[in-house]
Amino acid sequence: YAEFLEISKNRMQFAILVGKLCSMNKIENILIEKNIQPTATRLLVLKTIEEKGAPLSISDLENLLDTVDKSTIFRALTLFAEKNIIHEIDDGSGSRKYCRCTHNPSINQSTFVHFTCIKCHKTVCLNEIISPNIKIPNGYSILEQSFLIKGFCPNCQPKIHD
């Protein structure tokens, strides 16, 4: 029985290792497809963003990746944003957030809608919603636009009593 448990434990560890390798191969392929050299740091930064699945600030990443300095994280994020692997979100908090692009990368990032909860301060990408095309008066030109909705997320909704 002990031998069976040891074999089962080893198989579980092997399955976990294979899962991690597959995940890293996926991350590496994302970078290679965008003609980015997949350095260890870039792989680590993108893997962290991918795993969290929520917008992260540079400070968030710095806390999660304590072996990587802020300037290295910033350079990786800048490169990823230029190549449409991630997009930047200005949620009004004073620090930009970065999130993995899960939609058609040929679409301008600024057309997507983001939501920030005013209670828990979490920001989420509402990828399924595209902001309206805004016509501006002649003589003006748009350099950047963002569409941010603020309110209560499902977990923070105020309870309405009957």
Side-chain angles (χ1 to χ4, degrees), residues 34 80-89 99-114 125 127 129-131 144-147:
K34 298 289 188 168
F80 296 164
E82 287 172 1
K83 298 287 188 164
N84 286 326
I85 295 173
I86 62 172
H87 62 275
E88 296 181 26
I89 305 164
C99 190
R100 176 82 170 93
C101 298
T102 56
H103 57 278
N104 182 345
S106 64
I107 298 173
N108 185 344
Q109 304 302 323
S110 65
T111 62
F112 285 90
V113 177
H114 299 94
C125 304
N127 291 330
I129 301 172
I130 297 177
S131 65
E144 181 181 324
Q145 75 176 31
S146 64
F147 200 95

Side-chain angles (χ1 to χ4, degrees), residues 64-154:
L64 293 167
L65 307 171
D66 56 0
T67 61
V68 184
D69 65 272
K70 187 182 279 191
S71 62
T72 303
I73 293 170
F74 179 77
R75 286 192 304 272
L77 293 173
T78 301
L79 180 60
F80 296 164
E82 287 172 1
K83 298 287 188 164
N84 286 326
I85 295 173
I86 62 172
H87 62 275
E88 296 181 26
I89 305 164
D90 182 356
D91 64 0
S93 67
S95 70
R96 289 191 173 268
K97 305 267 187 336
Y98 300 86
C99 190
R100 176 82 170 93
C101 298
T102 56
H103 57 278
N104 182 345
S106 64
I107 298 173
N108 185 344
Q109 304 302 323
S110 65
T111 62
F112 285 90
V113 177
H114 299 94
F115 183 94
T116 298
C117 179
I118 61 172
K119 186 172 182 184
C120 68
H121 307 288
K122 288 184 182 174
T123 299
V124 296
C125 304
L126 302 177
N127 291 330
E128 65 279 0
I129 301 172
I130 297 177
S131 65
N133 188 10
I134 299 171
K135 183 161 175 55
I136 61 171
N138 288 335
Y140 293 88
S141 61
I142 297 174
L143 297 177
E144 181 181 324
Q145 75 176 31
S146 64
F147 200 95
L148 178 68
I149 299 170
K150 291 185 177 187
F152 293 102
C153 70

Side-chain angles (χ1 to χ4, degrees), residues 6-33:
E6 187 62 31
I7 291 170
S8 295
K9 180 181 173 186
N10 289 340
R11 284 186 179 170
M12 182 63 82
Q13 289 172 342
F14 179 73
I16 290 169
L17 179 61
V18 167
K20 287 181 179 179
L21 288 174
C22 289
S23 173
M24 281 309 260
N25 282 341
K26 177 185 169 196
I27 300 298
E28 188 173 1
N29 288 338
I30 291 168
L31 295 178
I32 290 169
E33 286 173 11

